[in-house]
């Protein structure tokens, strides 16, 4: 290498190498050359649709059970917001992580997600540790030896029952829910 190129900053040298590669490809495939020089702009990520606000009549039906709330996208968002205001969002996050976990088909992804859920919600002093009894924690840990989509079922049922017995009643009395049914 000559002294002139050695004096250039590393970033300039890297950019020069990129241009050299693009020009080499351009000479080999002239029909795609313009794509190499001026690439197509990346498509923006499609954001999920905002859940549609339910009618007061629909929201009144949520009183029947926590499952009615959780099965409605707007209900889930509203309930999660309520739990966040009560500093107990970890319960719904754990429940949602378990729902996602059960839908996973790939054994590799299943194991990765299981580890993440365990470290985030189950292990002692986890960042978002959920309140489950020792027996449930033990059963869950045994289930993780050979991971299956049902590994967290018992823990998820316990947290669901806790939310249903405790948080759900307060949610139904909350300002957020009352606004939905009174509009």
């Amino acid at each position: 290498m000559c002294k002139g190129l050695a004096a250039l900053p590393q970033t300039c040298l890297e950019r020069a190498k990129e241009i050299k590669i693009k020009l080499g490809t351009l000479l080999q495939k002239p029909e795609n050359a313009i794509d190499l020089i001026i690439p197509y702009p990346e498509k923006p990520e499609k954001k999920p649709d905002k859940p549609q606000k339910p009618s007061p009549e629909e929201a009144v039906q949520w009183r029947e059970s926590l499952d009615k709330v959780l099965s409605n996208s707007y209900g889930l968002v509203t309930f999660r917001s309520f739990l966040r205001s009560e500093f107990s969002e970890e319960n719904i996050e754990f429940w949602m992580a378990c729902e996602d976990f059960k839908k996973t088909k790939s054994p590799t992804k299943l194991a990765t997600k299981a580890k993440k859920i365990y470290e985030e919600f189950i292990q002692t002093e986890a960042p978002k540790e959920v309140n489950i009894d020792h027996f449930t924690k033990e059963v869950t840990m045994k289930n993780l030896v050979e991971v299956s989509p049902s590994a967290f079922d018992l823990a998820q049922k316990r947290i669901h029952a806790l939310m249903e017995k405790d948080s759900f009643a307060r949610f139904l009395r909350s300002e957020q829910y009352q606004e939905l049914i009174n509009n």
Side-chain angles (χ1 to χ4, degrees):
M1 197 170 0
C2 67
K3 285 184 181 181
L5 287 176
L8 289 173
Q10 185 65 29
T11 55
C12 291
L13 293 173
E14 289 171 6
R15 183 71 180 131
K17 285 180 186 177
E18 289 174 29
I19 292 170
K20 180 182 174 188
I21 291 169
K22 286 183 178 182
L23 287 173
T25 309
L26 196 143
L27 293 172
Q28 292 173 3
K29 297 183 180 180
E31 70 277 358
N32 296 332
I34 196 70
D35 292 345
L36 295 170
I37 298 168
I38 307 169
Y40 288 110
E42 290 184 25
K43 293 179 182 175
E45 282 187 36
K46 191 176 182 181
K47 292 183 181 179
D49 293 333
K50 188 175 179 181
Q52 187 172 350
K53 188 175 181 178
S55 68
E57 295 78 25
E58 288 174 297
V60 165
Q61 292 177 0
W62 295 353
R63 289 180 182 163
E64 294 174 20
S65 72
L66 176 59
D67 289 326
K68 289 258 186 196
V69 175
L70 299 178
S71 65
N72 179 288
S73 57
Y74 197 91
L76 180 62
V77 168
T78 307
F79 186 63
R80 185 175 183 182
S81 172
F82 169 75
L83 290 178
R84 188 178 301 123
S85 74
E86 290 206 327
F87 305 101
S88 59
E89 186 181 15
E90 71 278 354
N91 292 329
I92 194 67
E93 286 183 5
F94 173 71
W95 184 87
M96 291 167 60
C98 291
E99 287 298 297
D100 177 60
F101 177 77
K102 289 190 271 189
K103 295 174 187 166
T104 305
K105 302 290 182 219
S106 162
T108 308
K109 285 183 181 177
L110 203 64
T112 303
K113 285 182 180 184
K115 185 178 190 287
K116 184 178 179 202
I117 291 170
Y118 175 78
E119 289 174 350
E120 193 170 353
F121 299 103
I122 304 292
Q123 78 180 7
T124 305
E125 297 188 31
K128 298 177 182 180
E129 186 177 3
V130 290
N131 187 11
I132 54 173
D133 59 273
H134 182 71
F135 173 77
T136 303
K137 191 178 276 196
E138 213 172 272
V139 168
T140 302
M141 288 170 58
K142 285 180 183 174
N143 289 345
L144 296 177
V145 173
E146 288 186 32
V147 181
S148 74
S150 63
F152 294 101
D153 281 1
L154 180 61
Q156 186 184 20
K157 284 177 188 166
R158 298 274 202 250
I159 292 302
H160 184 280
L162 179 69
M163 289 189 299
E164 194 165 44
K165 185 178 81 174
D166 188 40
S167 307
F168 182 57
R170 286 194 312 278
F171 169 70
L172 294 177
R173 293 188 303 267
S174 74
E175 205 173 291
Q176 290 168 298
Y177 180 69
Q178 293 303 314
E179 283 178 13
L180 282 173
I181 63 172
N182 291 325
N183 283 343

